[in-house]
Amino acid sequence: MKIIVADDSRLVRGIVEKIVVSMGFEAVPAANGQEALDLLEAGGIDMVLLDWNMPIMNGMDVIKTMRSDESFRQIPVLMVSTESEDERIRQALEAGAQGYLPKPFTPEQLTGAIRRVLSMT
Amino acid sequence: MDALRYLLLINREARFLKTLSSSLLEAGFPVLAAESISDAQALLSSQAVALIICDTDLQDGDGYEFLAALKNSPDTKNLPFIFLVSARYVVDSLEEEVSKILKAFDLGAIDFIIDSMEEDVSRSLIKRLNKTLPAGFQQSADAPSAAPADETPSGPPERRDSKRIVPGYAVESEISRDGALWIPGRITNINEQGLMMETALLGKLGMSVYVRVPLPGAQTVAIRCHIRHISIIRQPSSAEVGLEADDTAEWIEIYTYIAKLMGIVKAAETKKIAGGRQESSEAPSAAQTLSERKTQYVYVDPELHAADTGQAGKALESKFYRSLIGKQLGNYKAVSFIGAGSMAGVFKGWDVLLERHVALKVISYRLSAIPSFREMFIREARMVSRLTHPHIAQLYHLDQIDDVLYLIMEFINGGTLADILKDRNNLNLAKCLEYFITTCRTLDFVSKHNIVHRDIKPANIMIDDRGVLKIVDFGIAAAGDETSESRKPEGFGSPLYASPECILGRPLDLCSDIYSLGATFYHVFAGVPPFEGETDDIITAKHLNEQLVPLKKVSPMVSGDLSDIIGKMMAKKPQERYQSYRALANDLTEVVH
Amino acid sequence: MKKILGIDFSPKAEIALLKILGKDAYIQYEKFQETIRIGDNDMVLLWMDEDQALVEQKIGKLRCACNFQNIPIIVMHDQPRDIPSQPYVIAGATEVLSLSDPAPACRNIINGYLIPGREPLPEEKAYLDPFIRNTCHILKTMAGMDAVFKKVYFSNAIRIFGDVSGIMGLSGNSEGTLAVTFYWDLAKTIIARMMNTEEDQIDAELIHDGVSEIINMISGTTKKDFVGKPHHFEITLPSVVVGPGHQIGYFQNTAAAVLIFEVDGQAFALHVCIKPKSAAA
Ligand SMILES: Nc1ncnc2c1ncn2[C@@H]1O[C@H](COP(=O)(O)OP(=O)(O)O)[C@@H](O)[C@H]1O
Ligand SMILES: [Mg+2]
């Protein structure tokens, strides 16, 4: 199982990658939305963990691109963001995210969210 | 050519003049000294002067204006002019200091020397003079540092010196992450692709940031860059970042400007202009000069700044008010600072027991300490506290901390007429007339209680957030039957609206308030105060002697009737004004209909 | 009785101070030391006897020793000329006074600073509580650390005297600034705990990411709590600055609250300056 961890913060990538690895998955880091799309192009990706605010290309644009592309449409997305207002969560889910986890989160909350999203698909 | 030509020294400090004159005389320079611009002008018209050495602030005006006036006259326009300011008066931020220096050069000064008090200023001055004045100018040949003169002041003085100064001081570049919060950043290197900057903004690789640089001609240009390199140089206080600039016209402008400056810096022989904080006698390079800047403030605290630049007494008063921010006096919390006038500092306050907002007015500790003032003030507050009127800020309570008196009064959530006047778009004629009449009726009510306000001015008329007018500051006015003894020892707050009898220190009655009310609304309708001037003395002299320009002339939109009413209110002689508010209010109501 | 720590005063200056403050003032005199402790003193008076850079350094050390507590540091001198206070205030001093200023002025100003700080108003408590709650919650969830809110004081500016700060500009319904400030050691500890790694692994980029993430999360979660309320705001990009001596904004008609927290025996501060637009004076 190969999961993209897209976040502009090396710190958050570090935290999330560790948790992903502890679940027995492989984590591939991306520092912005464009890098995430490039990794998707390269293939073999099973899930994307996405930050909202990133330079070059933000998380919302990544979801929109993925959902309009036949080959990525089925890949589940979990949004992880400090944007935690209901309105924002609704926007992300409408755009095609399968899950939304507001920061701050505990490791348990993140593993739970990843499992939930994976079991949905 | 005159046989003997003088250096003219102008400075408001007699002692400074004396010491400097004697060292210059010792060095062989013929010197004339003046303590004011008028003295200097008298000397200029009677003596042959070869060069002027002048302070920026003088008793009767400022040095820049004096210089501008000299440059405007064909007789004096080629006269070399050097600014010499003592560092104790240079309390400006670097920005301001630079802009002053640049202004001096723009006006045509040939040098701007700051007496740092760390070394004998006469020495650097003499060096400078030897370069400026023709050889043989000095009377005796054995002057201490008579270097051969290499330039003569023939023709208009060129601005060669400005170049020397610009690189060191003028590049106040800043960096920002979000375009809102700007942090100072020192440009250490530059090429066509980008620049290196030392800054406290901790970025990360790839991050986009904005850089802004003030260019000559007062406009500041901002560009977007990306961080391509970071090294922490003085952990944990600053980093050096390498920035790649977006290729835009603005970037080219900045690059051309900075690169030129840096080229100049390296080439030119830098020379000390004696900045207040430079200790080494070595000529500092521009880069060094900038790196000496430790200040990392983002915005200058105007309150702090006022305290530095204001007159000593006022500065101490505002230091005192500042000490009370975030404190609790008795049952009242000082929530935030609103402003300080001539006699008090005003805070937004909170009544802990009644749980409501109040205005907390802390009276100047100097006034509070004067027994006769206290007595008058308390007596007055007693009377004013009995006034209940929808357009008067109600007085709630009077108390003291140590000896310092403070008043608690109705809090008015809004601004003063003075604030509103700053943005004239918010005013319309009908609204102003309504304010005028309301103020007039309120003062009528007050005068019936034998109270004279004494300080009617736009800053004492407030409009709350529901548009209701409230007159404030009755607390410091004196009762109508008082004699001149009870006048505020400070004089009067603003001379712009003061009546002639108030200026003369005579006993005041309601006619004085009527004059000030007229002056206040003259300002409201005309957009300018009735009399203006550089100094308080000039303004008060005009109130006493100068004929008022009729409002109609200044503001053709207002009716002749209104102009006449204000004219009558502002008659120099009290007996020629309205003698009652009733009569005034009647005339005003006529104008409305 | 208020306790004052007098540093580097000469016997002559001590006498001058005694004249100003009277015999009732309790002042303990000491020489400046790198390891100086402020203890339970209510105020520090520092004698300005050497060059500016050195005085600024001393101020910096003293401010650091205050550990974010609102202890006034007043710099005193006897030079007859007016000394601009700005550089000293930026360095961490509260005020600069001259012995040649009139005694009543000095006495009143010093006494003013000795008045205890006010507690928040009910309305201030209402908007500060979510910040306090969320800050503690973030440290608990992300770093497993128990932060405790200690104290709040109010100022008219955000003046930063820590080593590293995350600053967030607020816009929208309410305007203002939030700033979280740490000393280097605590910042490293927290970030290492967040990443579940050793402190020596923490480099400048991680400090940057960590501090900006913390101010991001504080703003983001609290913004959510303010939905539909006058204090609701929008956030922009966080800026991270290093070093003390930044002054961000100056507020007339608004108070900036400084919330002091303690975690692992070390303090950090959260500056909250937020002003609903509708309540603009
Ligand atoms: N009752 C009040 N409620 C709210 N603000 C007030 C009140 N009284 C005065 N102010 C504000 O405080 C400022 C300073 O007041 P004051 O000391 O009277 O100064 P001034 O000499 O300019 O009238 C005023 O300009 C006004 O903005
Ligand atoms: Mg007033």
Side-chain angles (χ1 to χ4, degrees):
Chain A
M1 183 71 87
K2 208 168 169 184
I3 300 182
I4 294 180
V5 178
D7 199 306
D8 57 326
S9 160
R10 201 179 107 212
L11 171 107
V12 177
R13 285 201 304 275
I15 296 171
V16 175
E17 278 172 39
K18 267 202 183 121
I19 296 170
V20 168
V21 170
S22 76
M23 294 172 77
F25 303 141
E26 184 186 347
V28 274
N32 60 57
Q34 188 56 53
E35 279 186 23
L37 283 182
D38 293 348
L39 287 168
L40 281 165
E41 275 318 326
I45 301 299
D46 301 293
M47 182 184 184
V48 182
L49 301 183
L50 256 188
D51 184 20
W52 189 310
N53 296 310
M54 288 183 287
I56 303 175
M57 183 188 253
N58 71 33
M60 274 305 261
D61 290 339
V62 174
I63 300 186
K64 285 176 191 154
T65 315
M66 285 176 70
R67 292 305 168 241
S68 62
D69 189 316
E70 199 51 52
S71 39
F72 308 140
R73 191 167 289 162
Q74 302 308 318
I75 300 176
V77 171
L78 171 65
M79 199 112 191
V80 183
S81 171
T82 38
E83 299 276 1
S84 53
E85 281 171 26
D86 295 347
E87 176 58 24
R88 292 308 189 103
I89 298 177
R90 196 184 53 76
Q91 279 172 24
L93 296 180
E94 245 165 42
Q98 273 69 33
Y100 197 107
L101 180 67
K103 293 178 198 167
F105 52 80
T106 57
E108 295 72 34
Q109 283 166 336
L110 180 61
T111 41
I114 293 174
R115 290 224 170 83
R116 255 195 318 279
V117 168
L118 285 175
S119 67
M120 280 162 67
T121 46
Chain B
M1 180 75 73
D2 301 277
L4 182 63
R5 299 216 296 160
Y6 290 99
L7 303 183
L8 174 54
L9 279 181
I10 314 166
N11 196 295
R12 63 181 159 191
E13 278 197 77
R15 259 201 14 234
F16 180 79
L17 274 182
K18 217 169 134 199
T19 12
L20 190 59
S21 310
S22 58
S23 14
L24 288 174
L25 279 169
E26 234 172 72
F29 292 97
V31 178
L32 295 169
E35 282 184 47
S36 65
I37 293 178
S38 48
D39 288 354
Q41 269 157 345
L43 286 169
L44 273 171
S45 60
S46 60
Q47 306 286 342
V49 172
L51 184 143
I52 294 176
I53 300 162
C54 183
D55 197 350
T56 49
D57 290 320
L58 296 155
Q59 273 172 20
D60 53 348
D62 83 26
Y64 303 108
E65 276 165 25
F66 180 42
L67 171 57
L70 292 175
K71 292 288 165 199
N72 264 333
S73 148
D75 290 339
T76 49
K77 89 169 189 273
N78 290 343
L79 204 54
F81 191 105
I82 295 177
F83 275 110
L84 174 61
V85 260
S86 120
R88 69 179 276 196
Y89 292 113
V90 182
V91 290
D92 302 315
S93 71
L94 229 42
E95 271 115 327
E96 279 168 296
E97 196 176 317
V98 172
S99 80
K100 280 187 176 170
I101 295 174
L102 290 179
K103 181 173 161 197
F105 285 109
D106 275 333
L107 287 167
I110 61 164
D111 210 341
F112 196 105
I113 298 173
I114 301 168
D115 175 14
S116 62
M117 324 246 272
E118 271 146 22
E119 67 164 49
D120 186 3
V121 70
S122 59
R123 253 201 277 142
S124 45
L125 189 59
I126 288 165
K127 260 193 220 154
R128 186 72 186 85
L129 292 174
N130 281 320
K131 284 200 156 189
T132 310
L133 294 166
F137 186 87
Q138 282 146 291
Q139 301 291 290
S140 59
D142 55 350
S145 55
D150 52 3
E151 286 158 87
T152 54
S154 55
E158 351 146 0
R159 293 177 42 194
R160 54 178 182 267
D161 296 292
S162 63
K163 286 179 192 147
R164 192 191 70 213
I165 289 159
V166 171
Y169 277 122
V171 190
E172 299 272 309
S173 45
E174 291 168 302
I175 180 168
S176 171
R177 174 83 207 279
D178 58 1
L181 177 75
W182 292 89
I183 311 280
R186 180 174 74 90
I187 297 176
T188 53
N189 212 341
I190 195 161
N191 65 20
E192 283 94 338
Q193 278 78 52
L195 46 86
M196 298 289 285
M197 184 178 257
E198 186 186 333
T199 177
L201 184 82
L202 188 59
K204 57 187 281 184
L205 292 182
M207 181 191 269
S208 84
V209 292
Y210 299 91
V211 166
R212 71 178 181 195
V213 175
L215 293 182
Q219 94 272 29
T220 294
V221 172
I223 48 161
R224 203 178 66 154
C225 301
H226 286 90
I227 300 182
R228 292 289 175 246
H229 157 91
I230 297 186
S231 52
I232 302 284
I233 40 182
R234 276 203 301 273
Q235 210 177 24
S237 71
S238 67
E240 188 168 59
V241 289
L243 300 169
E244 183 186 318
D246 285 6
D247 198 8
T248 60
E250 286 79 16
W251 161 243
I252 294 170
E253 227 178 319
I254 289 178
Y255 167 70
T256 327
Y257 173 62
I258 306 273
K260 201 167 115 211
L261 283 182
M262 292 200 151
I264 289 162
V265 182
K266 277 170 202 146
E269 206 202 328
T270 46
K271 192 172 143 193
K272 179 166 180 170
I273 60 153
R277 278 192 227 160
Q278 289 168 207
E279 283 104 20
S280 85
S281 57
E282 293 262 25
S285 74
Q288 273 174 322
T289 316
L290 261 180
S291 69
E292 273 168 18
R293 293 204 48 200
K294 261 187 268 62
T295 46
Q296 299 182 328
Y297 57 88
V298 179
Y299 297 112
V300 176
D301 180 338
E303 204 47 43
L304 202 61
H305 204 60
D308 283 345
T309 49
Q311 319 139 310
K314 268 218 112 147
L316 287 169
E317 293 283 1
S318 51
K319 284 182 180 184
F320 172 58
Y321 302 137
R322 197 159 65 222
S323 77
L324 302 176
I325 292 171
K327 300 299 171 68
Q328 178 165 343
L329 312 183
N331 285 326
Y332 305 97
K333 286 172 175 168
V335 176
S336 58
F337 187 62
I338 299 176
S342 48
M343 328 184 60
V346 179
F347 297 82
K348 179 177 183 180
W350 176 257
D351 183 329
V352 180
L353 293 180
L354 297 179
E355 302 202 333
R356 63 171 174 180
H357 283 294
V358 292
L360 170 63
K361 182 156 190 162
V362 180
I363 308 302
S364 143
Y365 59 80
R366 277 184 299 168
L367 294 176
S368 290
I370 303 169
S372 62
F373 177 89
R374 293 177 70 90
E375 214 176 286
M376 180 274 287
F377 185 88
I378 294 169
R379 197 154 10 108
E380 178 66 12
R382 218 171 267 154
M383 292 184 67
V384 173
S385 69
R386 288 174 201 145
L387 297 179
T388 307
H389 189 277
H391 296 295
I392 295 176
Q394 175 85 44
L395 203 60
Y396 297 148
H397 184 69
L398 172 66
D399 207 341
Q400 57 184 20
I401 20 155
D402 295 338
D403 296 333
V404 182
L405 292 164
Y406 65 87
L407 283 174
I408 300 297
M409 55 182 175
E410 179 182 347
F411 174 70
I412 296 149
N413 195 8
T416 69
L417 207 49
D419 301 329
I420 296 171
L421 274 177
K422 282 179 205 146
D423 184 6
R424 296 199 48 81
N425 298 335
N426 292 339
L427 284 175
N428 67 55
L429 204 67
K431 195 93 211 147
C432 294
L433 262 176
E434 188 194 311
Y435 289 154
F436 198 176
I437 294 173
T438 308
T439 314
C440 183
R441 294 230 167 92
T442 311
L443 289 174
D444 185 28
F445 167 83
V446 172
S447 72
K448 296 215 170 81
H449 291 78
N450 204 24
I451 293 174
V452 181
H453 186 287
R454 277 172 190 253
D455 200 16
I456 292 291
K457 58 177 181 182
N460 280 338
I461 297 174
M462 297 192 70
I463 314 290
D464 75 10
D465 51 3
R466 289 162 305 158
V468 179
L469 181 146
K470 302 263 184 180
I471 304 179
V472 296
D473 264 8
F474 281 96
I476 58 175
D481 58 354
E482 280 296 321
T483 56
S484 61
E485 183 202 61
S486 65
R487 262 191 62 201
K488 297 182 236 162
E490 296 299 293
F492 29 87
S494 166
L496 289 172
Y497 316 95
S499 69
E501 59 270 33
C502 174
I503 291 165
L504 294 170
R506 302 215 173 114
L508 305 182
D509 59 13
L510 73 104
C511 290
S512 172
D513 276 356
I514 287 184
Y515 183 96
S516 303
L517 180 63
T520 298
F521 278 89
Y522 186 101
H523 190 167
V524 170
F525 291 113
V528 288
F531 298 110
E532 288 181 287
E534 289 292 310
T535 64
D536 287 4
D537 289 345
I538 296 172
I539 298 169
T540 52
K542 287 183 176 172
H543 276 289
L544 292 175
N545 305 314
E546 198 171 291
Q547 212 190 329
L548 181 73
V549 180
L551 175 60
K552 181 117 190 77
K553 278 238 175 72
V554 190
S555 186
M557 274 149 52
V558 304
S559 70
D561 287 346
L562 181 58
S563 178
D564 292 345
I565 292 173
I566 291 191
K568 185 170 174 188
M569 293 171 80
M570 292 186 67
K572 305 280 181 212
K573 294 199 182 116
Q575 61 272 23
E576 286 170 11
R577 298 176 205 144
Y578 288 94
Q579 298 299 306
S580 75
Y581 286 103
R582 168 138 315 181
L584 172 56
N586 284 343
D587 279 5
L588 277 177
T589 340
E590 295 275 304
V591 174
V592 180
H593 301 297
Chain C
M1 168 122 80
K2 299 289 173 196
K3 287 169 70 180
I4 300 175
L5 185 58
I7 298 175
D8 288 354
F9 276 72
S10 67
K12 206 176 119 213
E14 280 181 27
I15 292 168
L17 191 59
L18 193 73
K19 274 200 195 128
I20 290 173
L21 294 182
K23 288 193 190 59
D24 293 341
Y26 178 78
I27 310 175
Q28 190 192 332
Y29 291 100
E30 266 182 40
K31 279 268 151 244
F32 179 83
Q33 287 173 336
E34 294 291 314
T35 54
I36 200 152
R37 289 177 164 273
I38 308 289
D40 59 349
N41 284 291
D42 299 293
M43 174 180 282
V44 177
L45 297 177
L46 172 67
W47 185 252
M48 182 199 293
D49 60 346
E50 281 152 291
D51 67 295
Q52 184 175 334
L54 210 69
V55 176
E56 283 176 20
Q57 262 174 39
K58 285 185 190 174
I59 295 170
K61 292 263 160 59
L62 289 168
R63 188 39 83 202
C64 190
C66 291
N67 205 15
F68 296 111
Q69 301 294 316
N70 185 29
I71 296 168
I73 299 176
I74 296 180
V75 180
M76 302 198 73
H77 63 86
D78 61 357
Q79 277 136 315
R81 59 195 182 120
D82 248 350
I83 293 188
S85 47
Q86 186 125 348
Y88 303 99
V89 172
I90 298 279
T94 311
E95 192 55 273
V96 178
L97 293 177
S98 167
L99 285 182
S100 57
D101 289 335
C106 293
R107 191 178 51 245
N108 278 297
I109 294 166
I110 289 176
N111 285 338
Y113 279 114
L114 283 171
I115 299 173
R118 66 176 178 88
E119 293 295 314
L121 315 187
E123 64 193 47
E124 288 168 331
K125 242 182 109 38
Y127 78 78
L128 291 175
D129 277 344
F131 283 106
I132 296 170
R133 204 173 49 238
N134 293 330
T135 303
C136 296
H137 175 69
I138 286 160
L139 285 175
K140 183 76 191 163
T141 39
M142 297 303 289
M145 296 172 94
D146 291 301
V148 190
F149 166 68
K150 285 291 190 188
K151 237 192 202 147
V152 58
Y153 71 89
F154 293 89
S155 164
N156 67 330
I158 294 183
R159 293 200 185 89
I160 285 178
F161 301 119
D163 287 334
V164 57
S165 312
I167 305 166
M168 179 69 85
L170 311 179
S171 59
N173 246 352
S174 275
E175 289 178 331
T177 307
L178 302 177
V180 68
T181 299
F182 301 98
Y183 283 109
W184 216 239
D185 285 347
L186 182 59
K188 275 192 165 170
T189 309
I190 292 176
I191 291 163
R193 294 282 286 271
M194 282 167 84
M195 296 196 70
N196 199 6
T197 177
E198 295 305 315
E199 281 180 34
D200 56 12
Q201 301 290 306
I202 306 303
D203 59 15
E205 187 186 346
L206 288 174
I207 295 264
H208 171 276
D209 287 351
V211 173
S212 64
E213 204 62 41
I214 289 170
I215 193 68
N216 236 332
M217 288 190 284
I218 294 174
S219 328
T221 50
T222 311
K223 166 180 145 76
K224 183 184 174 209
D225 291 347
F226 288 156
V227 171
K229 295 190 179 143
H231 283 90
H232 187 250
F233 51 79
E234 295 303 327
I235 56 181
T236 55
L237 292 170
S239 308
V240 178
V241 298
V242 286
H246 303 279
Q247 180 174 320
I248 302 141
Y250 156 82
F251 318 108
Q252 203 144 10
N253 299 329
T254 315
V258 186
L259 304 167
I260 302 164
F261 296 84
E262 208 175 278
V263 57
D264 259 16
Q266 297 178 79
F268 70 93
L270 177 68
H271 304 249
V272 180
C273 179
I274 175 168
K275 185 176 184 178
K277 264 191 192 152
S278 50

